[in-house]
Amino acid sequence: MRRLLAALFLLVPFACRGGESAPQRRTLIDSRDTYDPRTLDPALATDVPSGRAVAYVFDGLTRFTPDARLEPALAERWDVSADGKVYTFHLRRGVRFHDGTPFAARHVVQSFHRVLDPATKSTGPWVLYPVAGARDFADRKATSIRGIEAPDDSTVRITLDQPLAIFLKLLAMPVASIVPDSVGPDFREHPVGTGPWRFVEWRHDDYLLFAKNAEYFDGAPKTDSLRARIIREPSTAVAEFEVGNVDLLYVPEAETRRWEQTDERSAMLSAAPALRLWYIGINTTRGPLKDVRVRQAINHAIDVGVILDRLVGGRGRHAAGVIPPILDGADTTRRPYAHDVDRARQLLTQAGFPNGIDIDLWHSDNESFSRVAQSIQSYLGEAGIRARLVQREAAAMRAAARNGETDMVLKDWYADYPDAENFLYPLLHTANRGIGGNVSFYSNPAFDRLVDSSRIELDSARRAELYRRADSIAFADAPMGFLFFYNELYAVQPWVRGFQVPVIFNGQRWVQAELR
Amino acid sequence: MFSFIARRLLLAIPTLFGVLVVVFLLLYIAPGDPVMEMVGERADAETIARLRAELRLDDPVPVQFAHYAGGVLTGDLGTSYITGRPITRDILERFPKTLQLATAAMLLAASLGITIGVLSARRPGSTFDRLAMAGAYLGISFPVYWVGLILILVFAVTLRWLPPSGFGRVEYLILPALALGTRSIAFLARMTRSAMLEVLGSDFVRTARAKGLRERVVLGRHALRNALIPIITVLGLDFGYYLTGSILTETIFSWPGIGRYVVNAIARRDLPAIQGSVLFLSVVFVLVNLATDLLYAKADPRVRYD
């Protein structure tokens, strides 16, 4: 039915398009949020819409650029001790919260205590666990976090339990944003931060409205206001874009070709490699899947190229490991598992299953995932792997996968921060089996050692090498069906200037964007 | 009359209690863990344990139920696990918007549907009748999802008469009300037509015509009035459904009503939000049914509730 509708949209004559002239409004309008943000309180923000909104209103000590580089934010610069454990942040002076309060070092100390305080019920305190004494405080075994201190108004010193290469990236996550002194119960609805946009209004399930913070320390946004509309249905978002009511559109997969193949539309397209991996979590502790040859057979059986081309609008790149090609540590010369049915059958026979195997493949009720799952099922079937599809609604599927009840589960992983560690560690490290994100229940001491060393390795070249080696081990062990790294595709109205498509979800704050 | 209302309301209490128990137990046995949904994709066991304790999810089920039911009795539907907002506030914010949409759809359905039905019944077999009934047939068959998208395509994207989606002034209401009401318009047209045909064949209509009444009076005052009972039934049922389940329409038109709220809550395993809204919507359904019954008495004096 979607197809039919897409075809109908195609019939709309281009003559009726809004033209290239800028609309009269002075408000940027985004259409990417598909559901109401959970909260505007950074301590509770775990979903993408919340994370984006938090990035508009707040700042952290560090932040990401649209192309996912790390840059200073509220911390102007920092020194790291030789052992990599002590970070001294020199804070920006003259910054004020939207309510006029001057920003000072105590706000950093308070904000981090707040995230770790169990009474806050924060869902992302793990971001700050590396700080010395953080867990004790979170468990109410200490009254303060011993690793955070503010020697003066513009300095914050943070001591870690052990060196952690990604620490500065963790500080750019929404949960580590800096909040003011008084945070009442209504803060989640009426946030006050130091960010480029002041919060104005939140109409639930409808839109969020922000006004520019004229005193933003990094230069005020170039447009008066920003509206983040919440549009559940992709076809509706497309219609809103067609009539010029929204400035930015996340192009639905089913419409990719239509947009790419017409000149007028393709001129508006902007692609970015997302830090997102589609994969099949293969539970390495269940039945025949314990055998690495069976898992390799699964990888050889699936024609990822065709799936990418036919079902995902060509938006992605066949994965040869778990590290997206744009991140340090990715081995772009490694060849993905080739589609080779004979090889798959041969591997199965060697593993002692000449007559094939019967397994379950779980997937969610999301339309894209369902289509891909059906296709995978038929590819596996050609190689003698009889997969039974188990469709569950996303929450139920996730629970089953984390409990180790799934043979194989089709899912994706979207990075929290742009670093290979964010793929290797949660998805495949022994410490994260089950609820931590490792639904393959993969456990390989050699892999773990490399990842552990990479986490404390402060030299970026050496760290990249450790990532590469760990990724290479995982690739050979095949604890997952390596599908593809996804590419985001956006359409930007011709009248929008200065907008760069973000690689990481909170990497674009619309400060440079303007309507012309 | 008042004793009838009081009796019906009293009878509703066990019904609603049943709803409360069933919803609570269903959610308890349904797969999916609310805390896992709270923490998102990346979680750690300590945080999960801490949150479970804070939310009292580790208490025995009867204790949890007693706690929840106690809150409901004092008018407190609890706080959302996911957003931390009071459920009552969430519902009060969204329900008026659903009510607005449902009312507009019903007004449209009642005016258009009944008019078409009466006009068709006046000359059965005429061109108008055939066209109207063919249209009604299509109207019943088309899924609301499809109708909604076509309306957006035609009136918003191509003709640019109305906004494609969103909530605001009356122009935002027209397309969603039309999409939601289409099925009712069609169904009412058919219903009215057949009810009218039956009545128009009866003796008192012939009498009315014989004494020289104008056709308009015959149709409006005598025939339609007697055909009202099935029409009210359809209106009441559809209104109840629209108030409690216009999820697809709200989704397509980005209408911030209660339907989307419930769907979101289910997807995120937000137990208090699901329980609260189901309970609230059950109350709405009971009230709409009661109102329908009262309307029967109004339409037909032979129906008495004393």
Side-chain angles (χ1 to χ4, degrees):
Chain A
M1 174 140 110
R2 281 276 164 78
R3 293 272 164 81
L4 178 68
L5 288 164
L8 279 166
F9 267 101
L10 199 59
L11 295 176
V12 177
F14 288 104
C16 74
R17 277 196 41 78
E20 308 300 295
S21 61
Q24 293 301 304
R25 52 188 158 81
R26 298 277 302 143
T27 304
L28 289 160
I29 306 182
D30 190 358
S31 70
R32 285 174 296 169
D33 290 350
T34 55
Y35 55 92
D36 205 38
R38 193 183 152 192
T39 176
L40 298 179
D41 180 345
L44 304 174
T46 38
D47 54 314
V48 169
S50 298
R52 267 200 285 259
V54 163
Y56 301 152
V57 178
F58 297 90
D59 287 293
L61 292 177
T62 57
R63 68 174 174 228
F64 299 122
T65 60
D67 55 353
R69 279 177 298 110
L70 185 82
E71 64 178 19
L74 283 176
E76 208 164 31
R77 59 197 168 81
W78 48 82
D79 310 310
V80 188
S81 66
D83 65 357
K85 287 192 193 172
V86 184
Y87 285 76
T88 308
F89 293 95
H90 305 284
L91 306 182
R92 228 175 253 271
R93 288 160 200 265
V95 175
R96 286 176 183 278
F97 284 98
H98 301 151
D99 63 3
T101 323
F103 159 71
R106 70 168 190 283
H107 293 117
V108 179
V109 178
Q110 287 166 2
S111 299
F112 289 2
H113 275 85
R114 184 170 173 268
V115 169
L116 288 161
D117 183 347
T120 309
K121 294 188 202 155
S122 169
T123 43
W126 60 268
V127 171
L128 295 171
Y129 281 165
V131 178
R135 281 171 196 262
D136 284 347
F137 179 72
D139 291 335
R140 295 203 165 105
K141 286 182 197 147
T143 52
S144 68
I145 308 165
R146 84 176 175 273
I148 303 183
E149 47 185 344
D152 61 59
D153 259 4
S154 59
T155 313
V156 171
R157 191 175 300 133
I158 297 182
T159 310
L160 308 183
D161 280 325
Q162 53 173 336
L164 181 63
I166 53 161
F167 184 61
L168 289 169
K169 290 183 180 174
L170 293 181
L171 293 183
M173 287 183 60
V175 72
S177 302
I178 308 306
V179 302
D181 293 306
S182 57
V183 173
D186 213 23
F187 191 67
R188 63 181 83 212
E189 298 268 322
H190 295 95
V192 173
T194 56
W197 300 95
R198 277 186 301 106
F199 168 79
V200 177
E201 187 184 25
W202 182 3
R203 297 273 177 179
H204 292 287
D205 280 326
D206 195 359
Y207 64 84
L208 288 150
L209 183 63
F210 307 92
K212 77 169 169 191
N213 172 10
E215 273 121 57
Y216 188 53
F217 61 79
D218 230 11
K222 291 184 173 166
T223 313
D224 292 348
S225 48
L226 169 64
R227 186 189 293 257
R229 285 194 54 185
I230 299 144
I231 301 177
R232 178 76 192 85
E233 169 58 42
S235 309
T236 309
V238 172
E240 291 283 7
F241 187 85
E242 301 254 351
V243 301
N245 284 350
V246 299
D247 297 313
L248 179 66
L249 171 74
Y250 186 87
V251 179
E253 274 146 31
E255 302 230 357
T256 308
R257 297 284 189 229
R258 176 167 83 91
W259 283 72
E260 282 175 347
Q261 285 162 6
T262 47
D263 291 342
E264 194 182 344
R265 281 166 213 265
S266 65
M268 294 187 274
L269 293 182
S270 235
L275 299 175
R276 183 174 168 200
L277 170 68
W278 282 57
Y279 67 100
I280 305 168
I282 305 178
N283 192 324
T284 57
T285 62
R286 287 172 73 96
L289 300 174
K290 287 178 191 156
D291 192 312
V292 63
R293 289 167 295 194
V294 173
R295 303 197 298 264
Q296 288 168 340
I298 290 169
N299 273 284
H300 280 300
I302 304 168
D303 193 338
V304 177
V306 170
I307 291 178
L308 256 177
D309 185 55
R310 304 273 163 79
L311 301 182
V312 199
R315 281 159 62 167
R317 173 172 169 163
H318 193 171
V322 296
I323 307 177
I326 54 164
L327 293 181
D328 286 345
D331 184 347
T332 46
T333 60
R334 195 185 296 132
R335 301 274 300 270
Y337 283 95
H339 174 55
D340 185 342
V341 180
D342 294 337
R343 179 84 187 118
R345 285 186 174 278
Q346 197 183 350
L347 282 163
L348 276 183
T349 309
Q350 284 168 10
F353 303 102
N355 299 321
I357 55 170
D358 293 278
I359 42 174
D360 288 342
L361 170 60
W362 289 57
H363 65 96
S364 74
D365 49 4
N366 170 295
E367 205 181 300
S368 303
F369 282 101
S370 302
R371 277 202 305 260
V372 171
Q374 285 162 23
S375 165
I376 290 172
Q377 179 191 37
S378 80
Y379 278 124
L380 292 176
E382 286 171 18
I385 300 162
R386 292 171 296 274
R388 191 176 67 99
L389 291 184
V390 184
Q391 178 174 331
R392 290 283 185 279
E393 170 273 327
M397 179 197 87
R398 194 151 41 224
R402 285 171 170 176
N403 290 334
E405 293 157 9
T406 58
D407 289 332
M408 301 199 292
V409 57
L410 175 66
K411 64 195 293 288
D412 65 343
W413 174 260
Y414 200 173
D416 291 311
Y417 43 90
D419 196 285
E421 188 267 2
N422 194 212
F423 289 83
L424 295 168
Y425 185 65
L427 297 186
L428 294 169
H429 194 281
T430 306
N432 287 317
R433 274 178 304 177
I435 52 171
N438 177 358
V439 293
S440 305
F441 290 79
Y442 176 60
S443 180
N444 179 337
F447 173 88
D448 289 349
R449 268 196 302 276
L450 285 167
V451 174
D452 291 338
S453 323
S454 74
R455 281 165 62 87
I456 56 172
E457 176 58 65
L458 300 177
D459 179 86
S460 53
R462 276 205 295 272
R463 193 165 69 246
E465 180 53 29
L466 292 167
Y467 286 158
R468 210 175 347 256
R469 283 165 56 197
D471 194 29
S472 165
I473 291 179
F475 183 68
D477 278 346
M480 48 172 75
F482 299 93
L483 298 179
F484 50 86
F485 296 110
Y486 193 80
N487 282 340
E488 307 272 30
L489 188 65
Y490 293 100
V492 186
Q493 296 284 14
W495 53 74
V496 177
R497 299 273 184 279
F499 180 87
Q500 192 185 349
V501 167
V503 171
I504 185 88
F505 70 99
N506 59 350
Q508 173 52 269
R509 309 202 297 168
W510 299 90
V511 176
Q512 301 301 325
E514 51 188 325
L515 300 164
R516 282 228 193 103
Chain B
M1 181 74 143
F2 285 106
S3 76
F4 168 74
I5 296 177
R7 206 164 61 234
R8 285 285 298 266
L9 289 178
L10 276 176
L11 272 174
I13 292 173
T15 311
L16 293 174
F17 184 77
V19 169
L20 195 70
V21 175
V22 169
V23 172
F24 190 89
L25 290 179
L26 270 183
L27 289 176
Y28 185 78
I29 56 172
D33 182 334
V35 177
M36 291 227 188
E37 293 311 301
M38 289 172 70
V39 294
E41 283 288 336
R42 188 162 175 181
D44 64 298
E46 298 158 52
T47 309
I48 288 178
R50 220 176 284 132
L51 286 167
R52 289 193 72 87
E54 292 280 343
L55 298 172
R56 308 182 57 170
L57 282 170
D58 294 325
D59 290 357
V61 181
V63 176
Q64 286 188 46
F65 180 73
H67 182 72
Y68 178 68
V72 170
L73 282 181
T74 59
D76 176 14
L77 291 178
T79 311
S80 158
Y81 287 165
I82 303 288
T83 65
R85 280 191 295 271
I87 307 297
T88 316
R89 206 171 95 194
D90 276 350
I91 291 176
L92 290 181
E93 211 175 284
R94 287 164 172 94
F95 184 69
K97 292 164 184 162
T98 297
L99 182 65
Q100 192 186 341
L101 179 57
T103 310
M106 280 334 285
L107 286 178
L108 215 58
S111 52
L112 283 177
I114 295 177
T115 312
I116 293 172
V118 170
L119 293 179
S120 287
R122 199 171 59 159
R123 289 208 190 85
S126 66
T127 315
F128 176 85
D129 180 37
R130 284 185 197 173
L131 281 177
M133 286 308 111
Y137 192 71
L138 291 177
I140 290 174
S141 317
F142 284 147
V144 62
Y145 203 83
W146 196 79
V147 173
L149 287 171
I150 293 298
L151 288 175
I152 291 178
L153 189 63
V154 174
F155 294 101
V157 177
T158 309
L159 298 172
R160 310 231 166 175
W161 290 350
L162 294 163
S165 72
F167 179 79
R169 290 183 306 273
V170 68
E171 64 260 34
Y172 286 89
L173 184 60
I174 299 172
L175 291 185
L178 204 55
L180 185 60
T182 300
R183 208 196 69 94
S184 288
I185 296 173
F187 200 60
L188 267 178
R190 288 168 66 97
M191 195 62 136
T192 309
R193 179 178 178 274
S194 67
M196 283 293 282
L197 282 179
E198 203 175 304
V199 174
L200 285 174
S202 56
D203 291 344
F204 68 86
V205 170
R206 198 173 38 191
T207 311
R209 281 187 177 138
K211 68 184 181 187
L213 287 179
R214 275 172 302 153
E215 188 64 10
R216 258 178 54 198
V217 180
V218 174
L219 285 174
R221 198 174 301 160
H222 294 265
L224 182 58
R225 178 103 202 217
N226 280 287
L228 270 182
I229 293 285
I231 295 173
I232 291 173
T233 308
V234 172
L235 279 173
L237 274 177
D238 279 2
F239 193 54
Y241 285 130
Y242 291 168
L243 283 177
T244 54
S246 49
I247 294 164
L248 288 176
T249 309
E250 290 181 2
T251 300
I252 300 163
F253 291 96
S254 290
W255 192 265
I258 194 120
R260 273 167 82 198
Y261 179 73
V262 177
V263 170
N264 259 338
I266 293 172
R268 298 198 267 196
R269 288 294 182 276
D270 194 348
L271 304 188
I274 305 172
Q275 287 158 354
S277 2
V278 171
L279 192 63
F280 176 81
L281 294 176
S282 309
V283 172
V284 169
F285 209 82
V286 166
L287 291 180
V288 170
N289 278 345
L290 177 59
T292 311
D293 286 350
L294 294 177
L295 271 180
Y296 287 151
K298 199 98 186 114
D300 186 347
R302 287 169 303 181
V303 179
R304 297 176 67 91
Y305 293 121
D306 304 320

